[in-house]
Amino acid sequence: KQEVTQIPAALSVPEGENLVLNCSFTDSAIYNLQWFRQDPGKGLTSLLLIQSSQREQTSGRLNASLDKSSGRSTLYIAASQPGDSATYLCAAPNSGGSNYKLTFGKGTLLTVNP
Amino acid sequence: SAVISQKPSRDICQRGTSLTIQCQVDSQVTMMFWYRQQPGQSLTLIATANQGSEATYESGFVIDKFPISRPNLTFSTLTVSNMSPEDSSIYLCSGSGAYNEQFFGPGTRLTVL
């Protein structure tokens, strides 16, 4: 059964700082990994999807990496802004026949202070 | 990417009643899912909504409590039956598209008194 862990649980940084959010997963036989953003009381916004054949994906100030062999993914946010304040969730699929089912980490609550 | 809408966005219900949540996607998706997010927690998968057949439920969730329909590729409903305060959560619908990337609706915030 897939298990996903995110570190740190919370992070507070001043505006402009670069930061890294960490995600680890136990079952490395995945074919993709997805990062989401959730604002308080809202749904999830998909940020980046990394295929197993890729090592990283970039979208604007966001860069996500994937290392299947070590069971780790990182989300790098460059030049953070107060609008980046949200909970960031990492989700990895199960392996085998149920590989469409996602297991979520508990998230990292990010606060960017002006 | 798929755009997913949900109705209602929030509701306050009395114990013992039922609420049906609707989910609409703007394009055909390969699969649709229902999740629950309890206060302060991450997401837990309730079931996979199958078009024209019974949903596939995860351990700990049963059809009598959470009946699900998916009459076509772009629409699904989740009913929370015989509600208790423990059912107070955000319920989220999602759909998967290319490369099994999942997209989520805005969620339905349910409070049971």
Side-chain angles (χ1 to χ4, degrees):
Chain A
K1 179 185 174 184
Q2 182 72 273
E3 295 181 6
V4 178
T5 303
Q6 291 188 245
I7 296 173
L11 181 63
S12 181
V13 300
E15 182 176 2
E17 191 161 301
N18 302 325
L19 57 100
V20 175
L21 308 180
N22 297 291
C23 171
S24 62
F25 45 94
T26 54
D27 184 349
S28 60
I30 59 174
Y31 64 91
N32 65 27
L33 183 138
Q34 203 166 349
W35 282 92
F36 295 90
R37 167 186 173 139
Q38 185 175 32
D39 292 290
K42 304 293 185 182
L44 276 65
T45 300
S46 178
L47 296 174
L48 289 164
L49 174 75
I50 315 175
Q51 300 294 332
S52 60
S53 57
Q54 301 169 320
R55 294 190 66 83
E56 63 179 62
Q57 276 281 20
T58 298
S59 176
R61 295 183 292 108
L62 305 180
N63 176 278
S65 68
L66 176 62
D67 184 346
K68 285 181 57 177
S69 61
S70 66
R72 294 179 182 179
S73 177
T74 62
L75 179 67
Y76 174 83
I77 302 177
S80 58
Q81 303 171 358
D84 295 330
S85 298
T87 297
Y88 290 81
L89 294 162
C90 167
N94 297 339
S95 60
S98 61
N99 58 11
Y100 51 88
K101 298 181 183 180
L102 293 181
T103 297
F104 284 81
K106 292 185 177 181
T108 294
L109 175 61
L110 173 65
T111 303
V112 181
N113 302 300
Chain B
S1 64
V3 176
I4 300 178
S5 60
Q6 283 184 237
K7 290 193 298 186
S9 59
R10 59 177 61 225
D11 209 339
I12 300 173
C13 300
Q14 296 297 319
R15 180 195 299 261
T17 62
S18 298
L19 176 71
T20 296
I21 303 167
Q22 298 180 4
C23 176
Q24 178 77 52
V25 300
D26 70 340
S27 60
Q28 292 183 359
V29 298
T30 53
M31 306 189 80
M32 293 182 73
F33 306 92
W34 287 96
Y35 289 84
R36 180 174 74 181
Q37 187 175 30
Q38 295 177 300
Q41 302 297 313
S42 192
L43 279 74
T44 300
L45 180 64
I46 297 172
T48 303
N50 300 310
Q51 184 200 358
S53 65
E54 189 172 293
T56 304
Y57 290 85
E58 298 300 302
S59 176
F61 297 97
V62 295
I63 188 171
D64 290 346
K65 177 67 175 178
F66 298 102
I68 290 170
S69 76
R70 188 182 174 189
N72 57 53
L73 285 174
T74 61
F75 184 79
S76 178
T77 66
L78 167 74
T79 299
V80 186
S81 302
N82 188 25
M83 290 184 284
S84 66
E86 292 71 35
D87 294 320
S88 298
S89 296
I90 298 175
Y91 291 86
L92 297 123
C93 169
S94 76
S96 65
Y99 306 107
N100 282 341
E101 183 174 8
Q102 283 198 27
F103 301 95
F104 282 79
T108 296
R109 180 182 290 274
L110 172 61
T111 302
V112 184
L113 303 178

